[in-house]
């Protein structure tokens, strides 16, 4: 009986260490930013999006126009992260996918 407990605890320890190892390698990759992403997002360049129905092609075009490295579409009642990212274009849409607001952050 004690042998089963030791085996079970060993498996938990290995799983916990594997999770820590995965976090370390992903944080290293996230800290490496290519030099071409040093410019900030400019939401003014994407204001023409307001009033249009969003789709993946329009999202990508707005991202490029704004000079952002990433764009996200924010739908009503959708949970979102609150950290500020000067490289991110935020596209707020209503229930009908019509763009209401465009900003960076």
């Amino acid at each position: 009986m004690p042998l089963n407990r030791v085996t079970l605890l060993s498996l938990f320890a290995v799983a916990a260490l594997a999770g820590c190892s995965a976090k370390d390698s992903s944080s290293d990759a996230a800290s490496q930013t290519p030099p071409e992403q040093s410019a900030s997002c400019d939401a003014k360049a994407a204001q023409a999006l307001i009033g249009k129905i969003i789709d993946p092609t329009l999202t990508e075009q707005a991202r490029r126009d704004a000079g952002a490295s990433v764009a996200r579409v924010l739908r009503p009642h959708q949970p979102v992260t609150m950290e500020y990212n000067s490289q991110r274009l935020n596209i707020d849409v209503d229930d009908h996918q019509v763009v209401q607001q465009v900003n960076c952050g």
Side-chain angles (χ1 to χ4, degrees):
M1 189 83 162
L3 182 60
N4 288 339
R5 287 184 183 172
V6 171
T7 304
L8 186 59
L9 288 174
S10 296
L11 286 174
F12 283 132
V14 169
L17 290 174
C20 290
S21 173
K23 288 179 187 174
D24 289 341
S25 64
S26 66
S27 66
D28 289 341
S31 66
Q32 298 172 358
T33 305
E36 66 269 12
Q37 293 183 359
S38 60
S40 291
C41 171
D42 178 16
K44 291 178 186 175
Q47 293 300 311
L49 203 63
I50 295 174
K52 295 183 179 178
I53 296 175
I54 199 68
D55 64 30
T57 304
L58 201 55
T59 301
E60 178 59 18
Q61 182 62 48
R63 183 197 64 77
R64 279 185 271 152
D65 290 349
S69 63
V70 67
R72 66 179 177 178
V73 177
L74 304 174
R75 292 169 176 80
H77 313 292
Q78 172 186 351
V80 296
T81 59
M82 297 302 293
E83 84 281 354
Y84 181 81
N85 180 349
S86 65
Q87 291 295 309
R88 181 175 52 217
L89 180 68
N90 296 309
I91 304 169
D92 294 311
V93 299
D94 63 13
D95 289 325
H96 303 288
Q97 304 304 308
V98 176
V99 177
Q100 301 297 306
Q101 179 179 348
V102 179
N103 58 35
C104 296

